[in-house]
Amino acid sequence: MSTSWPGNPLKNIQSPPPADIEINQGVEPIPIKDLCQQVGVKDDEYELYGNYKAKLKLEILDRLKDQKDGYYVVVTGINPTPLGEGKSTMVVGLTQAMGAHLRKNVFATLRQPSQGPTFGIKGGAHGGGYSQVVPMEEFNLHLTGDIHAITAANNLLVAAIEARMLHESSQTPAQVFDRLCPKNPKDGKRTFSKIMFRRLKKLGINKTDPEDLTEEERARFAILDIDPTTLTCNRVIDTNDRFLRKITVGQATTEQGHSRETQFDITVASEIMAILALTTGLEDMRERIGRMVVAFSKNQVPVTADDLGVAGALTVLMKDAIKPNVMQTLEGTPVIVHAGPFANIAHGNSSIIGDKIALKLVGSEGFVVTEAGFGADIGAEKFFNIKCRYSNLVPNAAVIVATVRALKMHGGGPEVQAGIPLPKAYIEEHLPLVEAGCANLQQHIRNCKKFGVNVIVAVNKFTTDTDAEIELVKKKAIEAGADSAILCEHWAKGGAGAADLAAAVAAACEKNRKEGSNFKFLYPLDIPVKEKIESVCKNIYGADGVQFSELAEKKIAMYTNNGFHNLPVCMPRHICLSATILN
Amino acid sequence: MSTSWPGNPLKNIQSPPPADIEINQGVEPIPIKDLCQQVGVKDDEYELYGNYKAKLKLEILDRLKDQKDGYYVVVTGINPTPLGEGKSTMVVGLTQAMGAHLRKNVFATLRQPSQGPTFGIKGGAHGGGYSQVVPMEEFNLHLTGDIHAITAANNLLVAAIEARMLHESSQTPAQVFDRLCPKNPKDGKRTFSKIMFRRLKKLGINKTDPEDLTEEERARFAILDIDPTTLTCNRVIDTNDRFLRKITVGQATTEQGHSRETQFDITVASEIMAILALTTGLEDMRERIGRMVVAFSKNQVPVTADDLGVAGALTVLMKDAIKPNVMQTLEGTPVIVHAGPFANIAHGNSSIIGDKIALKLVGSEGFVVTEAGFGADIGAEKFFNIKCRYSNLVPNAAVIVATVRALKMHGGGPEVQAGIPLPKAYIEEHLPLVEAGCANLQQHIRNCKKFGVNVIVAVNKFTTDTDAEIELVKKKAIEAGADSAILCEHWAKGGAGAADLAAAVAAACEKNRKEGSNFKFLYPLDIPVKEKIESVCKNIYGADGVQFSELAEKKIAMYTNNGFHNLPVCMPRHICLSATILN
């Protein structure tokens, strides 16, 4: 689209690279309004948040609805280890190479990091070395407030649930009805608000004047009768605060003994974060928020945010969060940072809206490189089976990141601890450990191939890796079916260090488009829940079968009875691990 | 300064005014970048947050350091009632009158509202009728994320406190020292971080190499020995969630039995919010955050954020929040919205930095109108004794807002409840109730006069007020020493309805500058704490004296022993009320 896509190769690269922060602050970013113009965003289609961040309006999708999408690339990794494989750094380095070196139109699309890990041992998620998002403090801290908006919306919802349970327990149905639908002080008349008609419809009450409801109908309308043991929505906070993992709330005397055990979750693990990542627009988000099942009634009827009448307020709190954020890399190539659901419990991918806008902006010959959280088992499986299913976007290639160090660990290398010097095996050549660890990489390659995508293995070079170790990884990757395996040095050299990878990815994408995509999901939506779970466990985790506990059987039955059986399955990490044990 | 200060009188005013939201959304705001230019902010001195909000950089104060300040006006009120007196609406209406009708340079400076009241019965704080800040949803919800940044900073601090208490209880002093000051895995050497030298200095340890510390010094350095019963810093949330008023945290088995009772406060009641409102710059904020006393040790030594080593991280989280936010009124006059400490427990005023920048931008003949929260007893007393003392700014006039309805309530009128029709006394003429209620207004006038400022009473007209009632209020105000008393109809008519008030305020300010200010504090800082408390109680609340409980005596002694006796006193509402009982 644009003939002058932003991208400036780094100059004065030092070896070894200085500290991340020194590199990050040593670059003068392009004013983000200039960058927006350069990628074809019109003046009234973005909103600045300071000089280096902007939000993109969803109207871009309307304007470009006839534009053909660019190539779509997902970056995933081998099983994560404390040593890190550098997936985010790889996405940044690959797009720097594509944009500033191969001079292609390109966007990286990343998740917004949580402040929990940022202030913990893990640190920020802005990349590293000469492949970073700038300015790192904007990226890692508040960004434009999206996670804060989710916190506010989620906690308003929980406060509404708690207050409702208290009122229902301390008032008669008629009193609760009065509270929800009071007489207007001026004319003494009651009216239903717009949102209430959703609940009336659900109850099959076809009346528009509150006064026409019978006593029994008023009670059904007003009383949600929530079973507190079924609450699925916890309060959230974006701080790593271990003392909130198990708490008791409602201990003030004003709460009349309605205390209960609960917990705070980290904000990025909330359902509203998952909604932000999956939604396709404001109206869709409103509907998804309204459908959220927050608990079940004592009669096992799902209770939703719409039943509570708060979905409109939550949507208002999220009205800016839905707009994707634009930043840039060290080499001035554009990055969308939007949504950040945790992969261990949610689907672990950045937003569909961000990817859709980026795919239009880069044009049909451009590239969008996104990251799937965690390893290819958890993150990429959900990218394919969940994100791509909802977005209708078809990936042209998958990049699997591997490091010699992490493979050595998977191969049985000694334990590693933060703050303790690395054992010798990780800093000296050790081919047997690498070879043993390649079993992990090979399984991920085979897993990705099951979705019908081309796989490029990117070996992220650490300074201590030897040539023989790297050659071994490449050989093993090709053996397992990878379309290519490329050494990358973007950490040490910026985009220039990933130029070979960029060329290989571009070639794979072009070949894929020319030959036609073989992309497929692992399972269709219209099979029973158990079969979907079995499909993931067998295909991805190598399980021979799945045993369902009594609780699991009960929950699956309840979900099925309530019509949730036609959704894709999103399996949290610990379920995956339990499944693996059956192998 | 500017010859074309922004301000456009409203057209097509309807009577009665339509709903607030209809008026608010019916106006097309000036792009905030245009407004910034019109008030003399240079292009590199503001950061846009969308099209209608901007942050002002503190560098403006350096550039304009030789500019003479404009006139400084504080708006306060009679004792608040559920009926509302319309202080925020008055500030907005007065500045609309000053700017769009009298064509003077003017800024309103307001507090950022908390989402707690916004989603509660009180609603937003954007004003009302034809005197509002636009767009109201930007003003009332996230604004630019300042309150969210405070939440994040405060909760990171509390998480650090909890984690420290746990580690100190489960590890030896040598282990905690190791954790704080670990050996570098590469060279085996320990180094102190910059922030640690603050604690070393406090302990009187004059060494720079951690290895030089004796075992006893290491233990003193590492062990804060916090007494959990003295913690003064609670977690915060900006949601009205009654179930968090009393909770037990740390009940997970991983916390090894270290559960404790605590509570969440509303974010705007946090010390970090108070710091934001009082600070004069980034370095000052860093120092204030570091000095925060979060608890006392078991030996009654104050434990600060600097002792915990987290003040740098908290300051980084607050680096954007310190920049004041610019918005506008319905009539296009500029508004600064910055900081919002609750007046019932903190000092209840918008930020010093916001006022300082506004006073420079309006120029020596311009006006800055700010609001002091709650009534003149609580909000204005703290405005004068605390905010003006720290800012060195001298107010030229005080406006006290009164309504006939609220005065009737103070005069013994019937109780009022949300959702129930107003009793007759409030909607029909009732002079005896008004007269009795004027005692409240008169006391507030006398209180303000004690600070040596001119007082203008603004009677905020409601549609049901009669001429006789309004004349009575004006007469009683003048009797009590008000310099003038003016009827205002800005709710119904916009700035045009407050033009008389604006003229009176301008005249009072000009007279004050010409004749010289008599402004004074109620008490000097170097008298004992008890005398300061007595001064406020006797002068403001009409107390005959103050009785100090045993706990109060103990706390005052502890504060004095720790050198905190030279600070102004900030009395929360319930203490004020207890003091009043002695009257």
Side-chain angles (χ1 to χ4, degrees):
Chain A
M1 313 255 297
S2 165
T3 52
S4 58
W5 196 264
N8 307 300
L10 280 164
K11 291 171 195 74
N12 306 321
I13 287 184
Q14 296 172 46
S15 178
D20 279 5
I21 190 166
E22 197 178 316
I23 296 175
N24 203 290
Q25 298 185 343
V27 165
E28 178 65 31
I30 311 168
I32 202 74
K33 66 176 192 299
D34 296 345
L35 186 136
C36 283
Q37 284 159 7
Q38 289 166 26
V39 301
V41 177
K42 295 190 183 296
D43 279 352
D44 58 355
E45 291 175 340
Y46 65 88
E47 293 170 348
L48 296 175
Y49 278 68
N51 296 328
Y52 304 118
K53 296 173 292 186
K55 275 194 170 288
L56 298 180
K57 296 190 189 172
L58 307 194
E59 286 81 355
I60 294 172
L61 286 173
D62 298 329
R63 174 171 64 86
L64 296 179
K65 63 180 186 298
D66 298 326
Q67 167 66 45
K68 207 178 157 228
D69 285 348
Y71 296 106
Y72 194 32
V73 179
V74 62
V75 174
T76 181
I78 58 171
N79 274 34
T81 71
L83 295 168
E85 312 74 52
K87 277 201 309 295
S88 304
T89 306
M90 180 63 75
V91 172
V92 176
L94 173 55
T95 52
Q96 287 183 188
M98 286 260 186
H101 298 269
L102 271 62
R103 300 302 296 135
K104 292 180 184 293
N105 293 2
V106 66
F107 253 101
T109 61
L110 293 174
R111 287 171 297 161
Q112 180 185 358
S114 161
Q115 282 183 18
T118 297
F119 284 105
I121 290 171
K122 187 171 179 289
H126 52 277
Y130 283 111
S131 293
Q132 297 185 48
V133 179
V134 290
M136 63 194 280
E137 62 275 20
E138 304 297 329
F139 177 83
N140 285 320
L141 300 179
H142 311 297
L143 193 62
T144 58
D146 298 345
I147 291 181
H148 295 320
I150 294 167
T151 305
N154 182 93
N155 291 345
L156 184 63
L157 173 61
V158 177
I161 296 168
E162 297 269 20
R164 186 62 168 263
M165 290 196 297
L166 178 70
H167 293 148
E168 288 188 19
S169 73
S170 58
Q171 298 177 3
T172 65
Q175 283 171 325
V176 178
F177 184 82
D178 255 356
R179 200 179 181 104
L180 293 171
C181 199
K183 287 186 182 174
N184 185 324
K186 283 184 190 158
D187 56 16
K189 288 194 175 161
R190 301 181 199 271
T191 44
F192 286 126
S193 65
K194 204 175 139 197
I195 201 167
M196 293 177 173
F197 287 103
R198 290 175 184 248
R199 177 152 177 82
L200 289 165
K201 193 177 163 195
K202 176 174 170 177
L203 298 172
I205 300 172
N206 208 3
K207 299 176 179 175
T208 54
D209 185 343
E211 298 295 351
D212 291 346
L213 268 63
T214 65
E215 195 178 328
E216 180 269 341
E217 285 171 338
R218 289 184 186 207
R220 276 206 292 143
F221 175 82
I223 302 302
L224 303 179
D225 197 27
I226 290 172
D227 175 355
T229 65
T230 65
L231 288 172
T232 56
C233 184
N234 294 320
R235 291 171 182 84
V236 297
I237 187 171
D238 193 40
T239 306
N240 227 342
D241 186 342
R242 52 187 292 169
F243 279 75
L244 295 179
R245 286 178 200 156
K246 191 169 172 192
I247 64 174
T248 300
V249 300
Q251 296 180 311
T253 51
T254 43
E255 272 53 81
Q256 307 164 19
H258 286 270
S259 65
R260 69 179 183 92
E261 266 192 9
T262 180
Q263 68 188 65
F264 271 77
D265 295 330
I266 193 114
T267 303
V268 287
S270 67
E271 185 165 355
I272 297 181
M273 174 58 96
I275 287 174
L276 179 67
L278 289 176
T279 190
T280 52
L282 199 61
E283 186 50 37
D284 172 73
M285 183 170 73
R286 163 69 186 82
E287 293 300 321
R288 283 177 179 273
I289 289 174
R291 290 200 298 265
M292 280 177 70
V293 175
V294 299
F296 286 82
S297 74
K298 287 171 190 148
N299 288 332
Q300 279 151 58
V301 178
V303 177
T304 65
D306 266 340
D307 288 325
L308 283 155
V310 295
L314 306 193
T315 305
V316 169
L317 282 167
M318 294 289 294
K319 75 179 175 55
D320 292 313
I322 199 175
K323 301 170 197 162
N325 309 289
V326 185
M327 294 189 68
Q328 63 190 285
T329 68
L330 285 172
E331 296 187 294
T333 54
V335 179
I336 282 179
V337 190
H338 197 218
F342 263 17
N344 52 350
I345 63 112
H347 72 287
N349 281 271
S350 65
S351 81
I352 285 177
I353 286 185
D355 288 2
K356 285 200 164 185
I357 291 179
L359 284 163
K360 295 296 182 198
L361 288 173
V362 296
S364 63
E365 300 306 311
F367 292 82
V368 173
V369 182
T370 191
E371 179 190 348
F374 270 61
D377 49 340
I378 298 183
E381 182 269 312
K382 292 174 184 167
F383 172 80
F384 296 129
N385 277 327
I386 300 178
K387 184 175 177 182
C388 290
R389 193 179 319 245
Y390 281 116
S391 70
N392 291 315
L393 297 173
V394 174
N396 300 98
V399 175
I400 300 180
V401 184
T403 65
V404 168
R405 278 190 186 177
L407 290 173
K408 284 177 175 172
M409 195 165 187
H410 288 306
E415 209 188 327
V416 172
Q417 277 189 330
I420 306 288
L422 275 180
K424 253 188 173 181
Y426 296 108
I427 45 180
E428 293 180 359
E429 183 168 288
H430 201 312
L431 293 168
L433 280 181
V434 176
E435 178 151 16
C438 277
N440 185 287
L441 170 63
Q442 291 185 318
Q443 183 63 36
H444 286 298
I445 294 168
R446 287 189 291 264
N447 284 354
C448 283
K449 297 296 283 187
K450 287 180 184 163
F451 294 91
V453 296
N454 290 334
V455 172
I456 298 106
V457 170
V459 187
N460 189 11
K461 190 176 181 346
F462 278 50
T463 43
T464 49
D465 300 348
T466 69
D467 290 349
E469 288 174 329
I470 288 163
E471 284 311 311
L472 179 58
V473 177
K474 287 162 70 171
K475 182 173 143 255
K476 288 285 172 185
I478 299 294
E479 272 178 25
D483 296 81
S484 53
I486 315 278
L487 175 68
C488 298
E489 299 182 273
H490 50 278
W491 180 82
K493 299 179 180 173
D500 290 349
L501 176 69
V505 167
C509 286
E510 285 154 11
K511 182 164 168 273
N512 177 265
R513 186 180 284 174
K514 201 171 143 200
E515 295 178 352
S517 173
N518 294 314
F519 179 67
K520 53 180 179 289
F521 305 123
L522 272 193
Y523 53 83
L525 290 184
D526 56 1
I527 60 172
V529 174
K530 281 188 182 180
E531 288 179 30
K532 292 180 208 176
I533 293 173
E534 280 164 349
S535 167
V536 174
C537 291
K538 289 180 182 172
N539 280 296
I540 302 298
Y541 297 101
D544 290 328
V546 182
Q547 286 173 0
F548 294 92
S549 69
E550 201 179 322
L551 181 63
E553 294 274 6
K554 208 173 134 189
K555 285 200 166 177
I556 289 170
M558 185 168 73
Y559 296 150
T560 304
N561 291 339
N562 284 297
F564 305 138
H565 54 289
N566 282 335
L567 300 171
V569 294
C570 181
M571 298 211 286
R573 195 184 179 194
H574 57 273
I575 293 190
C576 304
L577 292 178
S578 324
T580 313
I581 291 165
L582 291 174
N583 188 354
Chain B
M1 315 255 298
S2 165
T3 53
S4 59
W5 197 265
N8 305 300
L10 280 166
K11 291 169 197 73
N12 306 321
I13 286 183
Q14 298 172 45
S15 180
D20 279 4
I21 191 166
E22 197 179 314
I23 296 176
N24 202 291
Q25 297 185 343
V27 166
E28 178 64 32
I30 311 167
I32 202 74
K33 66 177 193 298
D34 296 345
L35 185 136
C36 284
Q37 282 159 8
Q38 288 166 27
V39 302
V41 177
K42 294 191 183 297
D43 279 353
D44 58 354
E45 290 175 340
Y46 66 88
E47 293 170 350
L48 296 175
Y49 278 67
N51 296 328
Y52 303 118
K53 297 172 291 185
K55 275 193 171 288
L56 298 180
K57 295 191 190 172
L58 308 193
E59 286 79 356
I60 294 173
L61 286 173
D62 298 330
R63 174 170 64 85
L64 295 179
K65 65 179 185 299
D66 297 326
Q67 167 65 44
K68 210 179 153 224
D69 285 348
Y71 296 107
Y72 193 33
V73 180
V74 62
V75 174
T76 182
I78 58 171
N79 273 34
T81 72
L83 295 168
E85 311 74 52
K87 277 201 311 295
S88 305
T89 307
M90 180 63 75
V91 172
V92 175
L94 174 55
T95 53
Q96 287 183 189
M98 286 261 186
H101 298 268
L102 272 61
R103 300 301 297 134
K104 293 181 183 294
N105 294 1
V106 65
F107 253 101
T109 61
L110 294 173
R111 287 171 296 161
Q112 181 185 357
S114 161
Q115 281 183 18
T118 297
F119 284 104
I121 290 171
K122 186 170 180 293
H126 52 278
Y130 283 110
S131 294
Q132 297 186 47
V133 179
V134 290
M136 65 195 278
E137 64 274 21
E138 304 296 328
F139 178 84
N140 285 322
L141 299 179
H142 310 297
L143 193 64
T144 58
D146 298 345
I147 291 181
H148 296 320
I150 294 167
T151 305
N154 181 94
N155 291 346
L156 185 63
L157 173 61
V158 177
I161 296 168
E162 296 267 23
R164 186 63 167 264
M165 291 195 297
L166 177 70
H167 292 149
E168 288 188 19
S169 74
S170 57
Q171 298 178 1
T172 65
Q175 284 171 325
V176 179
F177 184 82
D178 254 357
R179 200 179 182 103
L180 293 171
C181 199
K183 288 186 180 174
N184 184 322
K186 283 184 189 160
D187 56 16
K189 287 193 177 162
R190 300 181 200 273
T191 44
F192 286 126
S193 65
K194 205 175 139 198
I195 202 167
M196 293 178 173
F197 287 104
R198 290 175 184 247
R199 177 152 176 82
L200 289 166
K201 193 177 163 193
K202 176 174 171 178
L203 297 173
I205 300 172
N206 207 4
K207 298 176 179 174
T208 54
D209 184 343
E211 298 295 352
D212 291 346
L213 267 62
T214 65
E215 195 178 328
E216 180 270 339
E217 285 171 336
R218 289 183 185 208
R220 276 205 293 144
F221 176 83
I223 302 300
L224 302 178
D225 199 27
I226 289 171
D227 176 355
T229 66
T230 65
L231 288 172
T232 56
C233 184
N234 294 321
R235 291 171 182 83
V236 297
I237 189 170
D238 194 39
T239 307
N240 228 342
D241 186 342
R242 52 187 293 168
F243 279 75
L244 295 179
R245 287 178 201 156
K246 191 169 172 191
I247 64 173
T248 301
V249 299
Q251 296 180 309
T253 51
T254 44
E255 273 52 81
Q256 306 164 21
H258 285 270
S259 65
R260 69 179 183 92
E261 266 191 11
T262 180
Q263 69 188 64
F264 271 76
D265 296 330
I266 191 112
T267 303
V268 288
S270 68
E271 184 164 356
I272 298 181
M273 174 57 97
I275 287 174
L276 178 66
L278 289 176
T279 191
T280 51
L282 198 61
E283 186 51 35
D284 173 71
M285 183 170 72
R286 163 69 187 81
E287 293 300 321
R288 284 177 179 274
I289 289 174
R291 288 200 301 263
M292 281 177 69
V293 176
V294 298
F296 287 82
S297 73
K298 287 172 190 148
N299 288 331
Q300 280 150 56
V301 179
V303 177
T304 65
D306 266 341
D307 288 326
L308 283 156
V310 295
L314 306 193
T315 306
V316 168
L317 282 168
M318 293 289 294
K319 76 179 175 53
D320 292 313
I322 199 174
K323 301 171 198 162
N325 309 290
V326 185
M327 293 188 69
Q328 64 190 286
T329 68
L330 285 171
E331 295 188 294
T333 54
V335 178
I336 282 179
V337 190
H338 197 216
F342 263 15
N344 51 350
I345 63 113
H347 72 289
N349 282 270
S350 66
S351 80
I352 286 177
I353 286 184
D355 288 2
K356 286 200 163 185
I357 291 179
L359 284 163
K360 296 296 181 198
L361 289 173
V362 295
S364 62
E365 300 307 311
F367 292 82
V368 172
V369 182
T370 191
E371 179 190 348
F374 271 59
D377 49 339
I378 297 182
E381 182 269 313
K382 292 174 184 168
F383 172 79
F384 295 129
N385 277 328
I386 301 179
K387 184 176 178 182
C388 290
R389 194 179 318 246
Y390 281 117
S391 70
N392 290 315
L393 297 173
V394 174
N396 299 99
V399 174
I400 300 180
V401 184
T403 65
V404 168
R405 278 191 187 177
L407 289 174
K408 283 176 176 172
M409 195 165 189
H410 287 306
E415 208 187 328
V416 172
Q417 276 188 330
I420 306 289
L422 274 180
K424 254 191 174 180
Y426 296 108
I427 45 180
E428 293 180 0
E429 183 167 286
H430 201 313
L431 294 169
L433 279 182
V434 176
E435 179 150 15
C438 277
N440 185 286
L441 170 62
Q442 291 185 317
Q443 183 63 35
H444 287 298
I445 294 168
R446 286 190 290 265
N447 284 354
C448 283
K449 298 294 283 186
K450 287 179 184 163
F451 293 92
V453 296
N454 290 333
V455 172
I456 298 106
V457 169
V459 186
N460 190 11
K461 190 178 179 352
F462 278 49
T463 43
T464 49
D465 300 348
T466 68
D467 290 349
E469 288 175 328
I470 287 163
E471 284 311 311
L472 178 58
V473 177
K474 286 162 72 170
K475 184 173 140 256
K476 288 287 174 184
I478 300 294
E479 272 178 23
D483 295 80
S484 52
I486 315 279
L487 175 69
C488 299
E489 299 182 275
H490 50 278
W491 180 82
K493 299 179 181 173
D500 290 348
L501 175 69
V505 168
C509 286
E510 285 155 10
K511 182 161 166 274
N512 177 265
R513 187 181 283 174
K514 201 170 144 202
E515 295 179 353
S517 172
N518 293 315
F519 178 67
K520 54 180 179 290
F521 304 123
L522 271 193
Y523 53 82
L525 289 184
D526 57 1
I527 60 172
V529 174
K530 282 187 179 180
E531 290 180 28
K532 293 180 210 177
I533 292 172
E534 280 164 350
S535 166
V536 174
C537 292
K538 289 180 181 174
N539 279 297
I540 302 296
Y541 297 101
D544 290 330
V546 181
Q547 285 173 0
F548 294 91
S549 68
E550 201 179 321
L551 181 64
E553 295 273 6
K554 207 172 135 189
K555 284 199 169 178
I556 289 169
M558 185 168 73
Y559 295 152
T560 304
N561 291 339
N562 284 299
F564 304 139
H565 53 290
N566 282 334
L567 300 170
V569 294
C570 182
M571 297 211 286
R573 194 183 179 196
H574 56 274
I575 292 191
C576 304
L577 293 177
S578 325
T580 314
I581 292 165
L582 290 175
N583 189 356

